[in-house]
Amino acid sequence: MSVPSAAELTRARTARRYVAILLVVAGVVACGLNLANVTGGALGEFRLLVTIGFLLLGPGWAAAGFLRRAPAAHVWLLTLGVGTAVTLIGGQIMVSLGLWYPSVALFVVTLLSIPFLLRHAVVAQ
């Protein structure tokens, strides 16, 4: 096993910062489009992509940011796994309780994820 160079670590940290910032922006945009009640046309399709992208990657990246010097594959696997789990468990809770409020779920996931994403944007590991 080889030890990564300082330049490789710097590139990885910079990339993690940019991903965290991009996910913060995606979460805010998804919530904004939701509040604006955008539903159809090209903007509606954009809302769908941004919302799904944030829900699958945002919570996972917030968790994966705590990994230290993990290979990129591990970071992305954890990101997708946690994001998928949070989305599925949130949906299952809404179905089980008979309270279907996906907008509220989006806002809750965003409010819980953004502080950690901002922390990872400042302190990339």
Side-chain angles (χ1 to χ4, degrees):
M1 183 168 96
S2 65
V3 176
S5 69
E8 290 171 338
L9 288 176
T10 302
R11 281 194 302 270
R13 287 183 186 118
T14 303
R16 286 185 180 193
R17 278 191 178 108
Y18 287 139
V19 171
I21 292 168
L22 180 67
L23 287 171
V24 167
V25 171
V28 171
V29 167
C31 288
L33 291 173
N34 191 340
L35 288 172
N37 202 20
V38 174
T39 56
L43 205 53
E45 292 178 14
F46 176 72
R47 173 188 171 190
L48 176 69
L49 290 174
V50 169
T51 302
I52 290 174
F54 176 76
L55 287 175
L56 289 179
L57 298 175
W61 197 262
F66 290 106
L67 293 176
R68 292 189 174 265
R69 296 189 182 184
H74 294 174
V75 172
W76 284 106
L77 284 172
L78 179 68
T79 297
L80 288 172
V82 170
T84 302
V86 166
T87 303
L88 288 175
I89 290 170
Q92 182 62 45
I93 290 171
M94 287 189 291
V95 168
S96 296
L97 295 176
L99 303 169
W100 188 252
Y101 297 109
S103 296
V104 174
L106 172 66
F107 297 141
V108 168
V109 169
T110 304
L111 285 174
L112 292 175
S113 298
I114 283 185
F116 294 106
L117 291 170
L118 289 174
R119 180 211 177 264
H120 300 319
V122 173
V123 185
Q125 308 256 341

